[in-house]
Every structure is written in C-alpha cells, then in structure tokens.
Amino acid sequence: MVKVTFRFEDKGKAGPGESVGLLVSGHVEAMWTPSVMTKDGDTWNLEMDLPVDVELEYKHVILTKDNTSLSWEGEPKSFKMAKTVASHETKDCWEEQKTHDDKKEKEKEKEKEPTSPKAEKPPSKVAEKVKNVVHTGHLTKCGARVKNWKRRFFIMNDVELAYYVDPNKINSCKGRIPINTIRCVRMGLLKGKKVGQRGFMVVTPKRTYSMFADDEAQTNLWMDKFREIKIQVENAWMSNAGGAAATSPAPASPPLSPATATATATLASPLSAVPHVDISEVDKAFNANPIAFLTTHDDHSLSSRPMYMRRNDTLGYHMLTHKKTKKVAHINSNPNVVLLWGKTDIASTQYVETAATIRVADDEQTRTQAWRSEYSTWYSGPNDPQLTVLLVTINHVKMTAVKVANMDAVDAAVAESNVAQMVTHVGQHLSCRPMMILKHPELGYHFITRVGTNKLQHIAANPNGNLLLGKVGVGARKYVDAQVQYSATTDAAVAKQIWKDDFKMFGYTGVDDPKLVVVLIQFLLVRPTIITPTVDMEVVDEVYAQSEFVTLTTHSAEGRLSSRPMWLRKHAELGYHVCTHAQSRKVQQVQADPKVTLLVGKTDTSAKKFVKVTAVAKIAEDVATKQKLWQDDYKQFGFAGAEDPAFTVLLFSVTKTDVTVMPHMDTSTTQSAAPRIANMDDVDKAFGMNEVVALATTASDAPRIRCRPMWLRKDPKLGYHFLTRRDSRKVADIDAFPNCVITLGQIDTSCRFFVELKAKIVKDTSPVTCGAVWRDDYKRFGFSGADDPAFTPLLVEPVAVATSEKANTQEPHDADKQSQ
C-alpha cells in the first residue's frame, strides 16, 4: 500500500452546506467536510492508503446539501502507484477545472454549428478498414467496473459493434459487442450519475451497455441503424412505447410529479393502445372475464399473477396495486409486459395474448380517476401513499384459437349417421335421447327442437353435455364420444339460415314458427373410439409364448374368489386347458360357476404386457379327451395315466380378452427424487381447485415472455407434468430457457386462493416416461399413442412456491399484493 495525499483548492466553488467528495474508481471513498477533515484556507486535504500496481481513476465532486446528487464533478484523472514509491501527492484546483469545462462547452457549441458538406471531418481511418460498415459515430458509454462515462468512437457493421478511444488508431479498440448476442436496445432515462439523461441500453446476456449520443437526432439515427440490422428497439420511457412506433420516435418527458400532473392534463391519456392496434378482441375478452394474467420480468426473473383489470373512459385499461409489490419493481426496471385475457377453463375456445407497456402513475389526479369505493377494504382512500395505478397501453394483440382435435372424426361419424345420442344432465339426473344433427357452413353443427321441452330446461340449467355419434348396433366398430356445450336461440336470423322445408314433417309451420328453437353445438373434447373384437387370440398366443404359467381365478357358490397359479397348456384341436385333481376345490367351484378368469403373461418386474382372459371352463371327464391331452410330464403330479380317475382336465372357451400395457420404469436410469419444496401442499390444493393453469415461459426467438393456459397433470411417480406436441412453440422456448412460472388456482371473479410456482421444465421423450404418463384420453388431442413421435411430456421440477390468499368480503383486484 502507498500513502496518497489528495489536495483540492475549491476557490469558494462549494456553497454553504455543500460538501466536497473524492471518487476513486467510481466509489465515494470520503466526504471532505469541515467537521471531519482539516482545511487550510481554500484547500481540502485527504490521506488514503491505496494499492500498488493498480491503475486507479479519481475525480473531485461537489455534493448538494442533502448529499443525494452532484452539483459539480471534475475531470477524471488516472494514476498508478509503483512499489518503489513510499508516498504520493496530487494537487488539483477549481480554476483549472473551470478552464477545462469552458473549453468543453466551446467544443460542444462548435459541434452544433451547421457545416457545409465541404467542411465535414475526414472519415475515420479505422472505419475505412472495416468491411460492411452500417454506421459510425461518437457515443458516451458507461464503464463496466468503474462507473464513469467516457466518449468513444463506435463502428457498427453486420457482425459487431466495436468502440475505440481514437477513431484513427486500430489498436485503440476497447471492446466489441457481437451483433448476434444483442437481445434488444432499450431507449430510456439513464440511471446513476446521468439520471435524467436520455440515452439507450444495449442488452446482451452477459452485460447491459448504457450510452447516449450528442443530441436527439443522433440518437434516432442510431436507433434506425439498429432496426436496419434487425435488432428490436424498445422505447422504455414512453407510455405508448413499442408496437408500430414511428421509425424515429420523439423522446418523452420523465414521469410527471403530482405538482405538474394537473398542468399537463390536456395531454392524450394512454387509452386502449398505440395507433393502428385493434383491441376489440381484448374488449370482448374483458367483458367475458375481467381477470387477466399479468407477466412481468426484469433481467433476472419473471413472474405471472392474475390481476383484476379495470377500464374507464379517462384512463382506459388499468390496475390498482400496492406501491411496494414485486410487479411495480419489475415494471420500473422493464415496463414491457404480457397480458393474457379470456376465460382459462376447459370450455374456452380462444384467448387473447397482448404485448403491452405499463406506466406506474401515483399522482393524485390519476389515483382519483381510478378510485372506487370497494377499494376501501385495502386502502384508506385515493390519497393513500401506498396506492399506485398501473396504466396499460397495448402494443400488439394476438388471437389464439383453441383448436379442437379430431373434428374430422365427428364429420365422418355424422356422414355415416346423422342421428346422435344427446346427453344432458342437471345435478344427478341424466337424460339421453336421439337427435338429428345437422351442419351449417357458418353456424356449424346444430339441431332443432320445440319450446318447453325437457332438453331445453336442462340446457338452461347446465349447457354442458355429451354427444354419442356414429352407428349404434351390434355391427358397429367405431363411434365418437364428444364433450360439448349447447346454446339455444330463438333468433329469427339464425332460424332463417338453417331452415329446411323438411322440418315441416316435424310439425313446424315455417321459419317464423314461434315454437322453433335452434340449439347450436360447440365441441370441447372429441374422443374417437374403435371397438376392437371381443376376443383377440393372437395377443393371447403372443403373451402365452413368454410364460406358460397363468393365474386362474374361480368363483365359489357363496361368491368368494379364489386365485392360484396354474400350468396352462395348449392343444392344436382342443385349445387352452389345465390339468388338475378331480377332487380339488377349483373343480368344485367350476361345477358351481363355470365362469373363470385367466391372467396370462409374466408376473415379475420385467412384464410389459399381460392379458386378462374371461372364459367358460368345462370339465373333461371322458377318457378319450383325457387321452388326447395326456402328457408324461403330468406323472410328476402323482397321476398314473390318462385313465387315472383322479386325473381331470379343465377346457377353456374364451369369451373376452383385455390387454394391459404396463408403464415399466427403468430403475437403472431413474434418478433419486428431489427434496420436497416447501408449501407444495398449497400447490396440490390449488391443483385440486383447477387443473387448467397459466404457464409463463421466456420466448426463444425474442426478448419477451409468453403466457398460455395449459392442462396440468399429475403422476404418482413423475409428479406434475404437461403434455404437448414436439414441434410446438413452447417446446422451443423451454429448450432455450427451461425456467418458468406456473400460476395455479381458481382464477375468476370469485378468486380466493392462488399459487405461483417457480419451476424448471424438463423435456423427456423417452419411451419409459411416455408410457408412464400416457392416457387414452390424449387421443382427443390427435396423438395415436405413447409411441407417437409428436407426443412430448414436459416434467415440472418445482423450485419455489409463493401462496396468496385473499379476503372473501370484497371483489378481488390484485392477487399479488398479499404475497409480497
């Protein structure tokens, strides 16, 4: 260490109550105040022990009375102490700094003067040697470790963004930013010592570069060049940033203080969306369900939560929340969010995903305009210091339709027979009746009925039901079971569209008949079912070849079951049979009830398939049959021969076969279970309330968050998981960024409980896992089976759980407040 003495002559520059400070390597090491330091006239003195062989930077600053900001800062200087030096002294003077500052001001004024094309400076010698140059120019950049600001010469081409100390010296390069690592460029107000300075930030995975140009025109020109090389530019300070913004957006002012909010009330309020963005679908989704999922994110994490949206003519869409919640911190760091609108239950056919920008407004006028009396449960009034309003500006709207799989199976079944079995249910009461199903090009499937029928009463009480489509009879081999939602209407326009003269045979006088009711059918889930043959002896033979030992189950006269292992044999003419003792209990039970069950297949841990065979047993008592079936191996059981009166045979006539494929777990590759995360009981509780959850993932192709409703499933061994298609966008997102947020609970206006689960998603398409999670219900999503190459399980590995419970006395509006 070397003792360094710093001296500074302020010449009266520091005003009353102001203090002088020293910044070494960007950190305030000491405050020069009369009460702490010694002063000799106008000279301030400070001694410090600093390391050797380290290049340090320092500069003198003058702080305001409250020590929260700088009223003046000097020119930075650098020095490096050698080991041979015992001490060092620096001397600086305000007058020298003043001369330097005046010189810089004159240089800036000179740069602003208009110049003719002939007076332009010669091009950079470095830029002449760079290929495919897109743009060059000076920018002031913030350092990585030493947070000082230095002017550098930047050269952008299609490969990198490099910056130099001297535009004419190739070896003066201080850094290079590869273009393919830039996620986005954010325009905004810079933080730190340049607070209030308008600039932009170049965001990469490892670092965010803060910089600013000499003027607004240069800033806009740089933004145009970033867009030219396909880099996304985000406007982080404007309430209507993003979307279809202008090529050179004008910078907006910083957030208004309460004192100036009233004076600027004539400015356009952030209603609805940026220009050219149609939010009519958002309005429809909001009218159907005012609860929307809000996903916010900063540089390190993302969070998703349900929010109660509000809308009025003055503020447009907005939300109320607590000032100290995590969402507010995220929005202050990054105002770009994702909102998911629409119902998220199984009956939903579409939802709306919007990219939006949120402005945090806590001025008195905005809070008064957003205030409602029901908020008094959480806040004392519009002047509550903890109350803040989140104003939403929608930049992009995307409609996502939930496509119902296997609708081609419905079309095929109706083409085969347009008479379907309609099932309605109210409470415990079920009703089933045949109905003639028709299809209209625009209205889809429907049927007609009369006013006052029981089916209409059932539909009014519960619109959900089932349809069984396809031929019904002994020869039928396939049918379609569909979960549907009925909607009855007496609209004359609808009746006119579907009317056919054939309807007169049912007693209707015409399209204007007041008794005519049209019931529209909306398909939710479609399950095509193929009826396999009752007896499949080929699969029995296949499993029997693996093991000749079976489990035989018989019934006693009292109805009790008895099972025992048996050696099953097969005869070319008489088929499957077993030999046994004539006086055994199984023979007595077969005499009482000849219906038996055989379980064919291996019964150890390696078993992958077995067959349950339902059969009728017959006791072979005649000697001729026993002689055909006799084998010398039977002597080991104590039989003398086929004529032995104790020897008898049970012949089986198979009536039904059921095949079961076992979900086999490979214990050699199975990892030990992860430790249980705290509050997983809350996750189980929320999952029991609603299996449809909100999954928020980081997009793989752009710096944004995607949120969508998903059907969460749970396996006793594998835990929570999702099922999806291998080529879906969410799989690409998870491959790039496996961390996600899952929001569980009953998300509607009656919301009282929800859970935010932070987790890691693992894609596992191994045959073992696919077989373990497969269910026949998944065929309705278009999968042929567990071996379908498109079938992709996504396993959920919990990381952290956050639970929120709300008071049930008022309508919820912010499901995130109490969790914070």
Side-chain angles (χ1 to χ4, degrees), residues 57-75:
E57 288 191 354
Y58 77 94
K59 63 179 176 180
H60 301 285
V61 296
I62 296 180
L63 294 93
T64 57
K65 295 180 180 180
D66 54 3
N67 291 338
T68 59
S69 60
L70 304 180
S71 63
W72 173 84
E73 55 182 305
E75 182 69 14

Side-chain angles (χ1 to χ4, degrees), residues 39 47 61 94 136 216 244 270 282 494 506 645 723 757 773 779:
K39 183 180 179 183
E47 290 185 353
V61 296
W94 153 246
T136 63
E216 178 183 326
V282 176
V494 174
F506 301 114
L723 285 311
L757 172 63
V773 303
K779 291 182 179 179

